[in-house]
Each structure stands twice: as structure tokens, then as C-alpha cells.
Amino acid sequence: MRRLIFSLCLLAFSTTIVLAQQYDLVLEGGRVMDPATGLDAVRNVGIRDGKIIRISSEALSGRRVIHSDGLVVAPGFIDLHQHGQELESQRVKALDGVTTALELEIGVPDVAQFLRVKEGHSLIHYGTAASHAAARALVFGAPLPAEPAKNHPGIPEILPKSGPATDQSATPEQIGAIRSRLRAELDAGALAIGMGLSYTPGASRLEVIDMFRLAAGRRLPVYTHARGPGKVQPGIEAVSEVIGAAAITGASLHIVHINSTCLRDSLECLSMIEGARARGLDVTTEAYPYIAGMTSINSALFNPGWQETLGISYGELVLPDTGEHLTKERFDELHNSSTSRSVLIFANTQEVVDKIIPHPLVMIASDGAEGHPRNAGTYSRVLAQCVREKGTLILMDALRKMTLMPAEMLERSTPAARQKGRLQEGADADIVVFDAATIRDQATFKKPMEPSVGVRYLLVGGTVLVDEGKIVPDVFPGRALVGPGKASSGKGL
Ligand SMILES: [Zn+2]
């Protein structure tokens, strides 16, 4: 009898322990902000098995409790446009509040290989588009390497060197072969078709429409760096072309970095997107908060005519590692080289950037890679400059541009995105906890990999990746986001 009472007591005691530690982790007393519902209040957040289980003003208990008083608790930022996928870039992204960073502008040359290499080795969530530029290069007999180049800072080798594969028009047979390659890449798990049209000036209008048709048939979006050339109004012409292709085919369209595509015409380009949306087209866009861009110097973006398109000359091209401003001779040498090298392009003004970032249609995306401060500083910079210093954005709207808007864009590719970009019960526990009073970017053009300050904690799928402002070593909680092709190993078009 005594033993029975003892056992019952033990049972009651252990039940109490279980109840007392109901959650793996509790974020206690933070300012919880969810752009989807408008919730902006002090709450406790209970997390279990990688999910947000409870959001409550009542006390919650967990195996670990993080006191978040005075800190903002928001959905982790989703970067739709990130080239640097290696660990160094992922570390600075995490310290900038990013929990998901996707290569959707161009896409990688080999989707299956990319997903294989990243599995179990990624700090934050990842995914990619199928690359039209790489498919084209393959069909023209100049395939891009599947393995990203080691010890090569800057844009990974996703861009073909300027040459026949970028500049020549494709025959109908070649267009058919490009379509076949893209179908296979979508089957391998790509989230979209990525079209770097500035990098394939030989692609005809019909080739572009054909690729949009393929995306529409798969009910997947096209992400595009719209075409460069155009003598009169390059950005306006480029945006007209892709909005036209979306209207003709019905494909969803995301125009990347409207700031660097349209430069001084950016507000006009935004009004074109507004018009297209008002007519029922699914067109979205994004921008990064810097006056310079960066790309490969030997790419077709620098084919003859680039000065007119960008409104700049050699001196506005700067090598990120040395700070060297180019001359005509140096430009010719680097542009003609078979070795890819990144170059900063100073072509925009702060005035334009300040008008674009607060625009309600514009999501924040970094276009990040080593060599440009946008890799490390994009999100903190918007929070510091636009929200705190200039007052051009309220915090909730800034967060919407970094979380809910990109998550909703991603829902066109995968239903898994419905659990992202939200601070709600049932959502994935991808969470950033930051100090709104001190968060700021520290990366500069001279020191582009300087991490941002102010992100105190970052949770990726419930795993703590940033703890008291520092990266936790030896955890790799990043998971792949894949398109429907992989899930169904689909046939289709
Ligand atoms: Zn681009």
C-alpha cells in the first residue's frame, strides 16, 4: 500500500513537471508583432517541435525561457533574392534577422545538386529557381559548372560569360531543348523559373514568352531581372516586356530589384506594376536599400551599350575587394576574361532609394553575395534608416515587407510557405527577436561582411541559431523549400 501511494505521488509529481515544462522554448514578455493579423502586443510565445503552439498573455513554461522584455518578436525575415548560399553569407544573414534566403532571381545551374549539397549543412532555409540562363548555356554547349567556385568571393557562378550562349538567338529546336531542361529542373524541386534577361540579350521576345508559358503551365511564377538594353527608357521597356509576357501567358511574375532595373524611372515602373495589378495581373516586386548594385564583370550585362542603359561610365564601376575604380583598359581586360569577377555598379541615387523602399508594393530583398554590404545589412538598414531615423515607414509595414509579403509570394510555389512569415499559432517557429531601438547595419562598401547589430535571438524551425547576439556553432536547422515538381516527381508539360 505504501508503495502504491509512493508511486501515485511520483506519478503526480512527474505530471506536474511535464505540465510545468509544456514547451521546448518560451519567448517571454516580448512585443509580439504579426503583420498578417495586426497583432502588436506584449505576449508569451510557446514553441514545441519547431512550431509556434501558443501565443498568450498568460504565463507559459518551457524547458528554456528567453526573457524578451523590451524586444520585438517577429516572423523571421524571408529573402527571396540571395545569391551567396555559403556559410559565411548565411551567418551574416542570420545576424540580419533572415531565416529563409532563396536563390530565385537567376537560379542555380543544377537544382538536384544544389539541394543535395545543402541538405543538413544549412544554417537557414533555402531553395532555388530553375535557371533559364544556365539551361540556355547548356543547350548552346557552354554549360556552367554545377559546383560553385571555391575561394571566389562575390556572385557564385550562376551567370554565363558574355558570348554566343548569351548573345545569339536560339533556334526553335534550341528553345525546345531549353524548355526540356527547365522541365527537368522543375521536377528536381525548383520553386520557379528564374530569368536573368539582362544576362541573355540574345533571347528573343518569343523565347521569353515561351518560358513564361512553361511556368504558367506548371502554375509556377517567373522571377526576372528584366532586360537591360533599350536606347530611350531601358527600365520602362524592360518592365513592359515582362508584364506583356505575364498578360499573354497568365504566369505570375516577380520583377526583382526594381531599383536597379529602373533606376531614375523606378517610380514610373512601380506605377506600371500598379496598373498591371489593377487589371488583374499577378505582378510583384522588391528592392534593396543601397545606391550601388553588383554583378559579374564578364557577363552580358556589360555588352556594348551598358553606359547608356545604366547612365554611367567606367569610373562608376568599382572592384569590391580593392576599391579600384575601373578605366576603359581595365574594363576591357576584365570583361573579356573567362574568369568571373564581381564589380560594384554605382548607378542609383539615395533620393530614388528613399522613395522606393516605403512604396506599399515593394518587398525587401537583398540580392546578397559577398562583396556588397546588402549581403549583411539589408534588413537592419531598412529598420534603422527608414523606420527609426527617417520615419518613412512604420515598424509593422517594414516587417510586412520582410515577412508576410515574401511568404505570400512563395505560396505561389509551395504550400509550405503558408506556415512562414507569420507569428501565429500553428506557424513555423522561424522567429527573429530584436531591439528596435538599436538594430542597425554595420556593413559598408569597404567592409561588406561586417554583421548587423541588434538581433538578439533567431529561431530557425524552433532551433536557436542566434543566442544573445551570437551565432550558435554546429547547428544546421535550415531546410529546403521545394516546388511541386519534387513532391510529385511530376510529369506535366
Ligand atoms: Zn539582378
Side-chain angles (χ1 to χ4, degrees):
M1 188 63 188
R2 229 194 226 166
R3 261 173 86 169
L4 182 64
I5 291 171
F6 177 74
S7 303
L8 283 173
C9 284
L10 194 67
L11 185 68
F13 181 67
S14 47
T15 310
T16 313
I17 297 269
V18 168
L19 284 176
Q21 299 184 341
Q22 212 172 354
Y23 301 102
D24 300 337
L25 181 67
V26 170
L27 302 172
E28 191 177 76
R31 178 184 175 191
V32 173
M33 298 186 72
D34 177 43
T37 57
L39 175 69
D40 180 359
V42 173
R43 292 283 187 273
N44 304 311
V45 180
I47 292 152
R48 194 169 54 226
D49 298 332
K51 292 277 184 190
I52 299 171
I53 305 295
R54 187 101 171 92
I55 300 174
S56 174
S57 45
E58 285 161 28
L60 304 177
S61 54
R63 281 209 298 278
R64 180 173 179 195
V65 176
I66 292 177
H67 301 287
S68 311
D69 321 43
L71 301 174
V72 171
V73 177
F77 305 148
I78 298 171
D79 192 346
L80 297 177
H81 188 165
Q82 169 67 17
H83 300 301
Q85 293 281 335
E86 83 297 347
L87 290 177
E88 290 74 20
S89 287
Q90 292 201 328
R91 280 189 202 103
V92 293
K93 308 293 306 178
L95 291 167
D96 204 33
V98 175
T99 50
T100 301
L102 308 153
E103 166 55 89
L104 291 175
E105 177 196 27
I106 304 290
V108 298
D110 185 330
V111 172
Q113 195 262 2
F114 170 80
L115 294 174
R116 209 164 38 239
V117 167
K118 302 268 306 166
E119 190 173 1
H121 297 95
S122 193
L123 302 185
I124 56 181
H125 303 313
Y126 55 93
T128 182
S131 169
H132 166 256
R136 204 172 199 278
L138 185 68
V139 167
F140 273 80
L144 289 165
E147 283 280 350
K150 298 276 183 292
N151 62 44
H152 166 64
I155 310 289
E157 295 212 39
I158 51 169
L159 298 174
K161 176 179 162 29
S162 170
T166 62
D167 297 358
Q168 285 179 7
S169 61
T171 63
E173 292 71 34
Q174 285 174 316
I175 290 177
I178 296 168
R179 287 172 57 104
S180 299
R181 172 65 181 173
L182 287 176
R183 270 187 226 116
E185 290 291 84
L186 293 174
D187 289 344
L191 292 159
I193 293 180
M195 298 192 79
L197 290 174
S198 265
Y199 303 102
T200 56
S204 68
R205 301 284 164 123
L206 269 178
E207 180 179 335
V208 172
I209 290 167
D210 224 27
M211 300 307 135
F212 273 64
R213 280 197 181 112
L214 173 58
R218 292 287 186 111
R219 297 187 191 286
L220 287 172
V222 174
Y223 285 69
T224 182
H225 174 151
R227 209 184 281 275
K231 290 279 175 286
V232 189
Q233 292 175 305
I236 304 280
E237 289 177 40
V239 169
S240 299
E241 178 188 14
V242 287
I243 288 178
I248 291 160
T249 62
S252 295
L253 166 65
H254 183 81
I255 300 173
V256 306
H257 54 44
I258 199 77
N259 50 316
S260 52
T261 288
C262 293
L263 299 171
R264 61 195 170 278
D265 292 327
S266 288
L267 286 179
E268 295 296 344
C269 287
L270 283 170
S271 77
M272 291 165 69
I273 294 172
E274 258 172 354
R277 291 173 63 87
R279 250 51 72 191
L281 296 183
D282 184 18
V283 186
T284 57
T285 192
E286 56 167 66
Y288 56 82
Y290 293 87
I291 60 166
M294 183 175 80
T295 196
S296 290
I297 185 78
N298 68 356
S299 73
L301 189 135
F302 289 109
N303 281 4
W306 63 269
Q307 292 105 318
E308 291 77 39
T309 302
L310 297 170
I312 57 169
S313 191
Y314 301 103
E316 279 78 47
L317 302 182
V318 179
L319 295 183
D321 27 7
T322 60
E324 176 188 348
H325 290 246
L326 300 194
T327 58
K328 182 182 184 315
E329 292 66 37
R330 187 76 165 121
F331 171 87
D332 289 342
E333 178 198 332
L334 295 170
H335 179 61
N336 296 327
S337 166
S338 57
T339 308
S340 154
R341 192 159 176 188
S342 295
V343 67
L344 295 163
I345 310 164
F346 286 86
N348 215 339
T349 65
Q350 192 61 45
E351 197 189 351
V352 169
V353 172
D354 285 345
K355 283 183 182 150
I356 296 170
I357 297 292
H359 190 287
L361 277 184
V362 172
M363 304 176 201
I364 306 302
S366 76
D367 196 358
E370 218 178 308
H372 193 303
R374 64 192 178 189
N375 195 36
T378 288
Y379 293 86
S380 301
R381 187 177 179 86
V382 170
L383 293 170
Q385 291 193 349
C386 302
V387 177
R388 203 168 56 232
E389 291 160 20
K390 296 175 185 166
T392 50
L393 266 176
I394 60 166
L395 181 55
M396 188 66 94
D397 287 344
L399 293 177
R400 176 177 293 109
K401 289 165 175 284
M402 300 170 176
T403 61
L404 183 65
M405 287 171 73
E408 286 178 341
M409 181 61 217
L410 263 184
E411 284 170 35
R412 294 158 174 87
S413 299
T414 169
R418 290 188 203 129
Q419 271 74 53
K420 302 211 174 288
R422 281 102 167 156
L423 211 305
Q424 292 169 16
E425 292 176 359
D428 292 345
D430 297 336
I431 301 178
V432 58
V433 182
F434 66 93
D435 184 346
T438 60
I439 192 166
R440 71 186 162 85
D441 57 311
Q442 296 200 111
T444 63
F445 287 104
K446 289 217 168 77
K447 287 190 166 180
M449 286 296 270
E450 216 48 29
S452 299
V453 292
V455 170
R456 300 289 300 281
Y457 301 94
L458 192 83
L459 274 55
V460 177
T463 298
V464 179
L465 177 63
V466 175
D467 198 345
E468 294 184 4
K470 299 216 164 48
I471 296 277
V472 177
D474 304 323
V475 294
F476 298 93
R479 298 284 174 269
L481 282 159
V482 293
K486 184 153 191 201
S488 63
S489 70
K491 290 265 182 299
L493 285 178

